[in-house]
Amino acid sequence: MSTVKVLVATAEREVYRGEAEKLVAPGAAGELGILPRHAPLLSELTAGELRITHGENVDEVFISGGYMEVQPDVITILADTAERATDMDEAAALAAQRKAEEELASRKDDVDLALAEAELAIMAQRLAWLQKKKKH
Amino acid sequence: MASAKEIRGQIKAIQNTAKITKAMEMVAASKMRKAQQRVLDARAYAEGIARVIANLMQAHPEYKHPFFTHREEAKRIGIILITTDKGLCGGLNTNALRLSVQTMKNRKSEVEVINIGRRGGAFMRRVGVNVSGSVEGVSDSPELADILGAADLAIEQYMSGHFDEVHLLYSEFVNTMTQTPKVTQLLPCPPTDEPSHPGYWDYLYEPDSHTVLDGLLKRSVEALVYHALLENKACEQSARMVAMKSATDNATDIVKDLQITYNKARQAAITQELAEIVAGSAAAQ
């Protein structure tokens, strides 16, 4: 089966570099499944799960948003943050969500409010994803 | 010759200085390792975003973003200047500032500085260059959020036409002994040489070209500035470690010299005392 090169990175570190047969990313307008030799695509990503399939291996990473560039031979994902379920701690995720809720409650003006709401949405999604992963 | 007691005082003082510089050297060495690791970790993102931008310039988007439009004449250029907050790091800041002065001289345009780091800001204000924004006191493990203010200000000024070009000046980390000051053009995006995907083509955009390009290009500028800051941090710690090591070595040398002078002075005093005693007893007989 043909493969495509994949690079997933956040501003702080490299998350994944290697080949893949299939990749599913949380696009701004719904999930995007990408196979090798896809047409050039530039997409915004939202918070959600990124799934990279390579042989038997399926790498699942939670990203909080970012950008994806697809070329026929290479996919570059520039994520804002990226975490694997094994690196995440449920208690910490819950605490992060609580903190986001508190911040939302204490915000006053509209700009801050919108930011805090977005932050909370990401945190809630992150926690839900983690709980789902831990069950399996 | 100074008295033995005075020299003893000097030796004490210099030994104390050496102790401090030695401690600073060790602190810098441990911070340097972390800072270097951070630069290496961040390289993947910088490399990825550079590749995307290079590809994007090969594409033929239906929406020509202002970041890709070169203006006829650069009336005013903005420089994002990255220096350290603290001194005691050898010639690092001096070299960067020298390059900035050179750059300003070569360009006939008016220059405004957006400053990251206390040293550069103080210098620019002293020489009378307009500093339109300043970020100081960034921690040793900087986050993207720390530089957003500076990067977004530069983008805003560029979009409003206040700046016609934006450049980034920082010290690039080569290795522990070598740091080179470097100036690169941020905006408009400088042309790349190699066409990696030739032919006439364009991306599919999701959700649409305006949203994606606006967001992505803004992010790319921020990422470049962030990466430059990380490089500069690694430079700072290595330069400081090297500077403090040579300070410690110098102090050790001086102490050695002083020790010899001290011994000579002590011996001279003893000899003189003996001579006086002998002379005194000879006179008494």
Side-chain angles (χ1 to χ4, degrees):
Chain A
M1 203 174 169
S2 67
T3 58
V4 55
K5 263 190 258 161
V6 176
L7 170 69
V8 182
T10 69
E12 281 85 25
R13 68 203 174 91
E14 182 178 310
V15 182
Y16 184 95
R17 187 196 286 267
E19 304 281 322
E21 276 114 39
K22 188 184 153 200
L23 180 147
V24 180
E31 278 213 327
L32 290 165
I34 312 282
L35 297 173
R37 308 209 54 73
H38 192 283
L41 166 82
L42 205 53
S43 171
E44 230 174 40
L45 301 179
T46 56
E49 183 187 62
L50 174 69
R51 229 168 17 250
I52 305 166
T53 314
H54 181 47
E56 295 289 292
N57 255 334
V58 181
D59 216 334
E60 290 167 330
V61 185
F62 182 83
I63 62 173
S64 65
Y67 293 93
M68 170 167 74
E69 190 227 19
V70 179
Q71 290 286 352
D73 53 341
V74 57
I75 300 174
T76 313
I77 292 181
L78 305 162
D80 295 342
T81 67
E83 296 163 290
R84 291 196 170 84
T86 45
D87 304 333
M88 280 160 82
D89 174 12
E90 196 169 332
L94 196 64
Q97 188 186 355
R98 290 255 166 74
K99 193 161 159 265
E101 272 166 10
E102 275 166 28
E103 280 195 16
L104 181 61
S106 68
R107 293 303 160 110
K108 285 173 194 80
D109 59 276
D110 288 350
V111 181
D112 279 355
L113 198 69
L115 278 176
E117 264 171 4
E119 177 75 14
L120 178 60
I122 291 176
M123 286 306 154
Q125 216 170 341
R126 179 167 168 256
L127 183 64
W129 179 77
L130 182 63
Q131 281 165 345
K132 200 177 93 196
K133 289 291 146 202
K134 288 277 147 95
K135 245 178 246 163
H136 293 305
Chain B
M1 194 186 274
S3 81
K5 191 160 175 263
E6 272 169 36
I7 298 175
R8 211 161 50 213
Q10 277 178 5
I11 292 179
K12 250 284 155 35
I14 291 169
Q15 273 170 342
N16 282 339
T17 312
K19 259 184 221 157
I20 294 171
T21 53
K22 181 83 195 164
M24 288 180 78
E25 179 195 331
M26 293 198 316
V27 171
S30 100
K31 282 188 179 171
M32 179 188 77
R33 267 191 292 278
K34 280 186 214 138
Q36 285 181 6
Q37 193 53 47
R38 233 172 258 130
V39 171
L40 294 179
D41 287 346
R43 251 178 210 165
Y45 192 85
E47 174 199 320
I49 211 153
R51 189 169 65 206
V52 173
I53 299 297
N55 286 344
L56 198 55
M57 295 183 77
Q58 308 285 327
H60 297 79
E62 79 271 14
Y63 165 46
K64 186 111 170 122
H65 196 273
F67 283 10
F68 291 144
T69 327
H70 288 254
R71 296 180 191 164
E72 293 275 309
E73 184 195 6
K75 280 197 284 298
R76 193 182 293 114
I77 59 179
I79 296 184
I80 300 183
L81 174 68
I82 304 183
T83 53
T84 67
D85 278 326
K86 292 180 197 140
L88 295 180
C89 47
L92 186 71
N93 289 324
T94 323
N95 289 341
L97 292 173
R98 188 177 298 137
L99 178 65
S100 74
V101 170
Q102 233 168 47
T103 316
M104 285 185 221
K105 270 195 189 138
N106 290 346
R107 301 295 300 254
K108 295 281 169 280
S109 343
E110 200 183 316
V111 172
E112 252 181 60
V113 166
I114 295 173
N115 166 59
I116 301 177
R118 208 160 279 146
R119 295 274 139 177
F123 174 80
M124 286 303 161
R125 261 169 250 158
R126 204 162 53 234
V127 297
V129 174
N130 204 347
V131 179
S132 47
S134 198
V135 179
E136 290 176 358
V138 176
S139 84
D140 283 330
S141 46
E143 285 172 20
L144 190 65
D146 291 331
I147 57 91
L148 284 188
D152 292 351
L153 176 66
I155 294 170
E156 215 172 89
Q157 302 275 46
Y158 176 78
M159 293 301 277
S160 72
H162 187 72
F163 291 160
D164 294 310
E165 278 177 23
V166 178
H167 294 255
L168 177 65
L169 197 149
Y170 64 102
S171 304
E172 188 185 33
F173 181 80
V174 183
N175 57 43
T176 310
M177 300 301 292
T178 322
Q179 300 91 29
T180 9
K182 197 176 162 190
V183 58
T184 55
Q185 183 171 327
L186 274 183
L187 294 175
C189 299
T192 46
D193 7 298
E194 291 292 308
S196 46
H197 296 273
Y200 194 92
W201 58 277
D202 190 16
Y203 285 107
L204 305 164
Y205 295 95
E206 204 159 309
D208 62 83
S209 58
H210 284 241
T211 320
V212 175
L213 287 184
D214 285 349
L216 179 65
L217 290 172
K218 185 162 171 269
R219 174 47 57 90
S220 84
V221 170
E222 292 163 358
L224 284 172
V225 177
Y226 176 68
H227 195 252
L229 178 65
L230 289 182
E231 292 261 354
N232 208 71
K233 286 280 177 196
C235 287
E236 176 186 354
Q237 298 305 342
S238 343
R240 179 164 301 135
M241 187 191 80
V242 172
M244 288 302 117
K245 180 164 173 31
S246 71
T248 313
D249 291 348
N250 284 343
T252 319
D253 285 349
I254 293 176
V255 167
K256 226 182 262 167
D257 285 350
L258 279 178
Q259 193 71 49
I260 291 168
T261 324
Y262 168 73
N263 289 346
K264 276 188 189 151
R266 193 178 68 99
Q267 243 149 19
I270 292 170
T271 314
Q272 178 147 24
E273 220 170 294
L274 272 178
E276 275 163 16
I277 293 168
V278 171
S281 74
Q285 276 168 11

